[in-house]
Amino acid sequence: MKTILSHANLIDCVTPQVRPDTAVLIEDGRIRGILPSGEVGSAGDALMSDLKGGYLMPGLWDVHIHPDYLSLDEMPLADQVTLFGHRLAAALTESGIVGLRCAGTHHFMDVAWKRAFDSGQHLGPRLFASGHFLTTTGGHFLTSGHALEVDGPYGWVRAIREQIKNGVDHIKLNLSGGIMGPAWDLHTHSFLLDDEIRAAFEICRKRGFNVMAHATNPDAVKNAIRLGAHSIEHGYVMDDECIALLLEHDTWYVPTLGISHLTASQATNPFEAAWVAQSGLSYALCCGAEQLRTCMPCGSAKRSMPLYEWRWALTSALLRKPRCSRWDCGFATGRRRGRR
């Protein structure tokens, strides 16, 4: 089946200019060609759709999401799973988000929805599941319900094997604290002992699973990059060596500006409003290093649905990489390039 979308103002996300009066040829669910509308000629058996100057752009990706942070006392598990599925479907149908990468959910609800979408049971985006995010006893964001506390080298190995057994696509490791929560959960704290972090990365490497590393201080960032993390999440404070390592190892950086730069006018729910009220985010936290200022030029992320953490993948612009080649390689999948 062929479809031609003609007379579009195309934003291709590769060149900075809008491409006016452009046609896009779609065949078997894939874009086969982009050409001036005047060169389309006879459509033959193709379905023609005249966009009449409307704007057309590729689907967006959100590469760091969580479900709503609700305890089982606040909402039964079945209702939470249903709500998460609604959020995911709305991301596609209302916001044009065609792919999402989870950064922690409880009870593997992301795996369940991934299977439902992949099988065609429900309409939804491409979803890449993480299951729980793994942290230590007294680690990061234990009140979220999405954390799994793990200790000791073999404890980490076993927990990661359990994640794999339950169908995740990647492993989320919380190596350090955050910018909210109790005094023992700070972004300056690194949680894992050397033998623990080495064991965690080694089993991920042996099993072929990418590591999504929550790392919020220079020590955690450097350890994660050197041990082979696929992406660094947050990176609130980084020094020159962190930036050099990101470039040297070709590691993805996901800055999650939607939470670190959240303002009162952007808060969409009580949780976000409370966070803004308590944070008093200092300039030094996000812009303490000169090089980091260079890497975070885009301001606050757009928020278009209440998934709490709403961020775009800014890595290409931030690290001055060509946009098209990295996306062609498959950011979310990494080890599963060409899978779908």
Side-chain angles (χ1 to χ4, degrees), residues 29-322:
R30 294 287 185 269
I31 295 174
R32 300 299 184 191
I34 298 175
L35 65 160
S37 293
E39 297 180 11
V40 170
S42 175
D45 60 350
L47 174 64
M48 288 289 294
S49 181
D50 186 348
L51 299 188
K52 300 178 180 179
Y55 284 83
L56 181 65
M57 65 182 291
L60 299 170
W61 279 73
D62 189 337
V63 296
H64 189 122
I65 69 163
H66 297 279
D68 294 77
Y69 294 128
L70 298 169
S71 70
L72 296 181
D73 291 333
E74 294 172 297
M75 181 181 289
L77 178 59
D79 292 352
Q80 289 194 42
V81 174
T82 302
L83 176 62
F84 187 41
H86 168 73
R87 302 275 201 232
L88 295 170
L92 175 67
T93 59
E94 299 179 15
S95 301
I97 312 300
V98 300
L100 299 106
R101 187 177 69 141
C102 287
T105 66
H106 60 80
H107 292 85
F108 298 100
M109 66 173 74
D110 53 349
V111 175
W113 278 112
K114 170 190 173 65
R115 290 170 176 166
F117 295 147
D118 288 352
S119 68
Q121 293 176 349
H122 294 273
L123 177 64
R126 295 172 64 188
L127 183 62
F128 296 88
S130 67
H132 298 278
F133 60 70
L134 305 180
T135 188
T136 60
T137 297
H140 177 56
F141 211 178
L142 304 183
T143 58
S144 66
H146 306 154
L148 189 63
E149 295 176 86
V150 183
D151 296 292
Y154 186 69
W156 281 89
V157 170
R158 179 169 183 171
I160 290 167
R161 287 171 174 163
E162 287 288 338
Q163 298 282 102
I164 293 170
K165 182 179 73 174
N166 280 280
V168 303
D169 293 295
H170 54 268
I171 304 297
K172 170 70 179 300
L173 303 182
N174 277 16
L175 307 182
S176 57
I179 52 176
M180 59 190 302
W184 43 262
D185 181 8
L186 298 179
H187 67 281
T188 54
H189 293 174
S190 294
F191 294 147
L192 279 71
L193 298 175
D194 289 345
D195 56 353
E196 290 177 319
I197 192 171
R198 285 196 300 266
F201 274 87
E202 182 179 0
I203 190 61
C204 290
R205 183 168 55 252
K206 285 182 178 293
R207 297 299 297 268
F209 279 74
N210 288 328
V211 172
M212 182 183 193
H214 170 113
T216 56
N217 63 65
D219 179 63
V221 170
K222 293 171 194 177
N223 282 334
I225 296 172
R226 287 169 176 150
L227 288 168
H230 183 62
S231 68
I232 299 297
E233 312 295 308
H234 310 302
Y236 296 130
V237 178
M238 295 194 289
D239 58 21
D240 290 348
E241 187 179 6
C242 291
I243 305 304
L245 285 170
L246 283 167
L247 295 170
E248 177 187 346
H249 291 263
D250 207 25
T251 305
W252 283 92
Y253 172 45
V254 182
T256 61
L257 302 178
I259 189 63
S260 62
H261 286 60
L262 182 66
T263 65
S265 63
Q266 295 170 323
T268 60
N269 58 48
F271 185 95
E272 292 172 354
W275 155 239
V276 172
Q278 83 167 63
S279 65
L281 192 64
S282 68
Y283 176 84
L285 178 60
C286 289
C287 302
E290 182 68 25
Q291 192 69 41
L292 186 59
R293 287 203 295 271
T294 302
C295 285
M296 300 180 71
C298 299
S300 187
K302 175 69 176 176
R303 308 179 69 83
S304 52
M305 62 175 288
L307 263 177
Y308 167 56
E309 293 180 287
W310 196 243
R311 303 92 181 243
W312 310 126
L314 299 175
T315 313
S316 298
L318 296 176
L319 298 183
R320 301 175 182 175
K321 295 286 186 180

